[in-house]
Amino acid sequence: MNKIREKLAQFMVGRYGADQLNYALMVLYISCFVLSIIFRNNIIFSLLMWVILIYSFFRMFSRNIYKRSRENEAFLNIWNKVKGFFSLNFSKIRDFRTKKYVKCPHCRAVLRLPRQRGNHTVRCPKCNNKFDIKIIIGSKPHNSAENKHV
């Protein structure tokens, strides 16, 4: 068993190997496999599965490491934008009752603020720009005088 492992390790020296794009290709391959079962061995899914599998192995065994890392970097740029979009929208839905999400008009950074009714001046922590916002729906602002009477 050790001889096989050594031979495989020796074969992979100087080759690119697996990365995040290869993992995504394998998930896509499995998805196509499941869809081909659901749609009763559709030829389109079968061909797509073969293309994905061949491309994945080509990338894994490639000796052009620079090119494969650039492909992975381009994939990660797209993937992080998609992931960030869904993560932000999930947070907006989860925090709907307690937080207000606003964009800074200067640098477009997304700020998460407590949802308290009224007019507020906000300072962006990224660019230090100050801007005004108005929150219509939310809890009443906390006053120390009100808290004493409760």
Side-chain angles (χ1 to χ4, degrees):
M1 191 66 172
N2 283 338
K3 267 189 164 182
I4 296 172
R5 188 175 293 159
E6 287 174 19
K7 291 282 185 186
L8 183 62
Q10 192 176 28
F11 174 74
M12 288 302 290
V13 169
R15 298 186 190 272
Y16 187 65
D19 60 4
Q20 291 87 352
L21 178 55
N22 271 43
Y23 298 139
L25 287 171
M26 287 298 117
V27 168
L28 187 62
Y29 177 82
I30 293 169
S31 302
C32 287
F33 178 74
V34 169
L35 288 173
S36 73
I37 291 173
I38 291 171
F39 292 112
R40 308 234 191 274
N41 293 329
N42 190 337
I43 190 73
I44 295 171
F45 290 118
S46 297
L47 287 173
L48 187 59
M49 284 172 30
W50 277 106
V51 168
I52 292 169
L53 191 64
I54 290 169
Y55 182 62
S56 178
F57 278 112
F58 165 75
R59 290 190 78 256
M60 233 185 307
F61 297 132
S62 174
R63 289 187 183 266
N64 193 343
I65 294 173
Y66 176 74
K67 219 173 200 181
R68 302 293 87 83
S69 64
R70 297 283 297 171
E71 289 171 357
N72 188 50
E73 188 179 321
F75 166 73
L76 287 177
N77 285 337
I78 295 168
W79 175 251
N80 288 335
K81 288 177 186 175
V82 170
K83 185 175 148 188
F85 172 79
F86 284 108
S87 176
L88 177 64
N89 284 322
F90 177 75
S91 296
K92 284 181 181 181
I93 292 168
R94 184 190 62 213
D95 298 338
F96 174 73
R97 295 182 188 272
T98 58
K99 304 291 183 205
K100 172 81 174 173
Y101 288 81
V102 295
K103 281 189 178 180
C104 172
H106 187 257
C107 69
R108 310 298 291 162
V110 178
L111 308 176
R112 186 178 73 169
L113 307 170
R115 190 177 283 277
Q116 292 182 348
R117 259 186 298 198
N119 295 323
H120 304 281
T121 300
V122 179
R123 184 186 59 81
C124 175
K126 189 174 179 182
C127 67
N128 289 326
N129 183 39
K130 288 186 180 181
F131 59 97
D132 295 325
I133 64 162
K134 183 175 185 177
I135 300 178
I136 299 171
I137 300 172
S139 63
K140 293 180 182 177
H142 298 288
N143 287 338
S144 58
E146 288 180 359
N147 290 337
K148 288 180 184 176
H149 295 295
V150 174

